[in-house]
Amino acid sequence: MPGPRCQPGVSRRHRAGTGGGVDLSPVDYAIEANGLGKRYGRRWALAECTLTVPAGQVIGLVGPNGAGKTTLLELAAGLLRPTTGTIMVSGRVGFVAQDTPVYAGLSVAGHLRMGQALNDRWDAGLARRRVIEAGLDLRQRAGRLSGGQRAQLALALAIAKRPGLLILDEPVASLDPLARRQFLDSVAEAVDASGEGITVIFSSHLVADVERACGYLILLAASQVRLAGPVDSLLASSARFASLDDLVISYLREGSR
């Protein structure tokens, strides 16, 4: 489902069966997938995925375990190559994986120095400000941080790259309710502070998190897109549902018949 237009950017196109390439034509979306699929042996992790993801919004990607959420996000991040179809991504990508990987023996400050050394557009001031606002001790080793603190560090590293697209793959799955709420609030604050029309795509199997943080919804089930659109419009067009959770469950039940 097409989303609203945004400022033109640079796209990176990944085609099935190729080494990928760079398409420098102007684009007006964050992600566009056409007939996208990824197969492992005889099993399709994602199949016939066609959608356009609007830019400049926080987008929720929901679905049951095994629906293909991580596969879609890793294809968008360039970590996987498609088996079929194409995917185009606008601009630089920041990626936070589900286990929010950090280096246990490296201090918070050491992570920031590493980020600066590896990224030519690194915003050192933003990175330092994000970790201080999250209450992180710059001298603390990452291995001694709590799960919520590691998630905040991973978010700071991704945001400081100044990405056009920030991908968060179930980053709050293992966090307690308070840490989850703090992380989601941090995402919203980071988007507001960026001032560059950043797009965030946030996957979760917890619809309540998506309803709180996101303005656009994509529902994946059985490796295919079942529903996509602005949250307000989806709820307005389905008045019989009291919440987004009810709407998602209804689509999942229909798809299982």
Side-chain angles (χ1 to χ4, degrees), residues 220-232:
L220 277 182
S223 306
Q224 294 185 320
V225 177
R226 300 296 185 187
L227 181 68
V231 170
D232 290 345

Side-chain angles (χ1 to χ4, degrees), residues 189-207:
E189 291 167 5
V191 171
D192 291 341
S194 71
E196 296 182 358
I198 187 174
T199 302
V200 178
I201 182 164
F202 171 93
S203 75
S204 178
H205 61 277
L206 300 173
V207 179

Side-chain angles (χ1 to χ4, degrees), residues 72-92:
L72 175 59
L73 297 183
E74 290 184 348
L75 285 163
L79 300 176
L80 295 176
R81 295 294 180 186
T83 305
T84 62
T86 62
I87 183 166
M88 297 179 67
V89 178
S90 176
R92 179 184 298 254

Side-chain angles (χ1 to χ4, degrees), residues 36-40 43-49 67-69 71-73 75 84 220 222-225:
L36 184 66
K38 182 64 179 179
R39 185 176 62 193
Y40 296 96
R43 183 182 69 86
W44 286 92
L46 190 70
E48 292 299 322
C49 176
K69 301 187 298 294
T71 300
L72 175 59
L73 297 183
L75 285 163
T84 62
L220 277 182
S223 306
Q224 294 185 320
V225 177

Side-chain angles (χ1 to χ4, degrees), residues 4-11 24-30 55 90-91 164 196-197:
R5 298 179 67 85
C6 69
Q7 294 299 313
V10 174
S11 70
L24 297 180
S25 58
V27 294
D28 55 2
Y29 49 79
S90 176
E196 296 182 358

